[in-house]
Structure formats: C-alpha cells, structure tokens
Amino acid sequence: MECGGWGVGAGPRSEGTPISTHQPFIASCVCAQVVQVIESAYCTSAAFADSRTLVTGSFDYMVRLWTVKPHNNASASQRNVVRSPRLTLTHIMRAHTGTVLSVAASRSWSLAVSGSQDGSAVVWDLNRGVYVRSIYHGENPNSAVHLVAIMKVQ
C-alpha cells in the first residue's frame, strides 16, 4: 500500500501517533502500520503545476518534483474519512548553491522556476525533471531571489 502526507513531525512515526510541530516533512507509507520519512529537509516553498504535479524547494538547496494522487475510498464506511493525497517523489533536481526560497510552476509551459539565496533563478523542464538554464541576479549577500513567477504573454 502506498500513501503519503504533508505536514510537520520529527521523523518516522507509527500510524495514529500525534505529529509534533518542529520539523516539516514529506512522508510515504510503506504499509498500513509504518510511516517512513523520505526527505526530512525543511520545505521552504511549494507550487502546483497542475492537480497532479507538486514542486517543492528546501533548505538543502534541492528542488523536488512530486506526483500527487488522490486516495480512493475503499468502502462506504470510509466515505466521511478525509485522507491526504498520495505523494510520490519523481525527481530531485540540483543546481542551487543556497537555500531555495521560492518556486513557481506552469504545466502549460512544462516549466518550473526556482529562486535561491545564492542569487540565481533556475528554469527546470517539468516533463523530464531536468535543468534547463540559470539566470543570476547578483553575487552580493542581498541578491537572494525571493519571488519567481511564470507568465503567459500573448
């Protein structure tokens, strides 16, 4: 059984255990009883390219690409139970040399853009999960890229 969750916690925990509030994580269920943390890096930003694709940035300088799948209710007795969607990590993308501060994504352009504390904005190919190009804002301590956006120009 695969499933996932987005939230905060200290790491691996058994199902039903309260989640603490000091460390963000993205988790994946290996079976119904055990939750295994895939990545325990602090998530700094997130953006949806579409309802099935999530892009996240983190303190470890990485950009991650996730596939989001909704849970299917197995029986009528579980119809009122709210479940988190299943998250599957598809790509870990490396190019920044500083904390990723912002991400934006566009499914129509098949692009994601991430901004970093290192003064760079990186363009990523969403279909292949690969680096396309970097744009550098500057090299001084105040050159961090806090906001990125993708616009359709006609």
Side-chain angles (χ1 to χ4, degrees), residues 18-134:
I19 299 173
S20 68
T21 59
H22 68 278
Q23 181 182 2
F25 72 93
I26 295 175
S28 174
C29 291
V30 174
C31 63
Q33 288 79 31
V34 180
V35 175
Q36 176 185 12
V37 173
I38 295 173
E39 301 295 331
S40 62
Y42 288 97
C43 180
T44 57
S45 53
F48 281 94
D50 56 32
S51 63
R52 297 184 50 164
T53 308
L54 175 66
V55 180
T56 61
S58 62
F59 275 107
D60 66 356
Y61 313 166
M62 303 298 165
V63 176
R64 289 173 175 81
L65 188 58
W66 303 85
T67 300
V68 181
K69 294 180 184 174
H71 266 292
N72 297 329
N73 286 337
S75 67
S77 65
Q78 295 180 348
R79 284 197 178 124
N80 294 330
V81 176
V82 177
R83 292 189 169 196
S84 297
R86 290 180 287 158
L87 298 174
T88 304
L89 180 62
T90 58
H91 295 88
I92 298 175
M93 303 180 293
R94 300 167 177 89
H96 292 292
T97 59
T99 299
V100 178
L101 302 173
S102 56
V103 293
S106 169
R107 177 48 67 197
S108 60
W109 288 96
S110 296
L111 291 175
V113 179
S114 55
S116 174
Q117 202 168 29
D118 64 9
S120 70
V122 175
V123 179
W124 305 96
D125 179 328
L126 278 181
N127 293 333
R128 296 180 297 147
V130 297
Y131 170 88
V132 174
R133 92 173 330 146
S134 294

